[in-house]
Amino acid sequence: PMYYAMDRYTPAGYAYCIWAFGNIAIWWPGFAALLTVLYAWGKHQVLPVLCRGYRENVSPLAPQGERDARPALLLICFGAQFLPWVLVPRGTYIYHYFPSVPFLILCTAYVQEQLCNWYTARAVSRTPPAWTARAAQRADRLGIAVVAVYLLLVAAVFIALYPFASGLLVQTSWLDAVNWFGRLYY
């Protein structure tokens, strides 16, 4: 986190501070999703081109029908925002990474979509033909529920850490309770 401001002249038991940091419910799953997209791109687009005899195995991230260009696009866009700062010889700060975050979010959405499609196809293939419509609806509902729970988690972390990011005057007990990393001072 990057420190911007700290309280002065506040009532006893209250404090405020302003830090620049990211939402951990977005950044960590987003990093895992970025690695998954890199793997999917390598397995489904690079290997078939490099190894002409390579046959794709069934995978949760297997492209549907045509080759899916989204993994390559996501990797190019993320790299275009992030890689120039890697090459800078001076120190970089967290705000240099912020333009890359939308692509982490898109990688997370892509992985969630592919996993939901895979789960739906798996659920439909394992049910009798008369029940395939119900199995597909149940799988779709489960996918929507997983995405909704993830979005609620992101919103909860945002609300919990909002006083650290905004300079909102709150009780110090709130700041102590959500100081999960021990390095955010106020």
Side-chain angles (χ1 to χ4, degrees), residues 87-154:
L87 303 174
V88 172
R90 66 173 179 80
T92 55
Y93 299 100
I94 194 166
Y95 55 79
H96 293 118
Y97 187 69
F98 285 155
S100 304
V101 174
F103 301 108
L104 288 182
I105 294 169
L106 290 173
C107 286
T108 305
Y110 174 77
V111 169
Q112 287 178 345
E113 177 199 13
Q114 295 301 313
L115 289 175
C116 287
N117 290 343
W118 172 78
Y119 182 74
T120 302
R122 184 173 159 231
V124 167
S125 70
R126 291 183 173 202
T127 58
W131 297 344
T132 55
R134 282 188 186 171
Q137 287 176 348
R138 249 183 296 145
D140 288 344
R141 283 191 207 127
L142 179 65
I144 290 171
V146 168
V147 171
V149 167
Y150 174 69
L151 292 176
L152 287 174
L153 175 68
V154 168

Side-chain angles (χ1 to χ4, degrees), residues 18 35 112 128 132 157-158:
I18 301 175
L35 294 177
Q112 287 178 345
T132 55
V157 171
F158 173 77

Side-chain angles (χ1 to χ4, degrees), residues 11-27:
Y14 287 84
Y16 75 88
C17 55
I18 301 175
W19 289 87
F21 57 91
N23 187 331
I24 58 171
I26 292 175
W27 287 33

Side-chain angles (χ1 to χ4, degrees), residues 2-38:
M2 186 174 178
Y3 168 77
Y4 285 131
M6 192 167 141
D7 64 335
R8 293 184 186 174
Y9 313 114
T10 57
Y14 287 84
Y16 75 88
C17 55
I18 301 175
W19 289 87
F21 57 91
N23 187 331
I24 58 171
I26 292 175
W27 287 33
W28 285 106
F31 181 69
L34 180 72
L35 294 177
T36 306
V37 168
L38 181 63

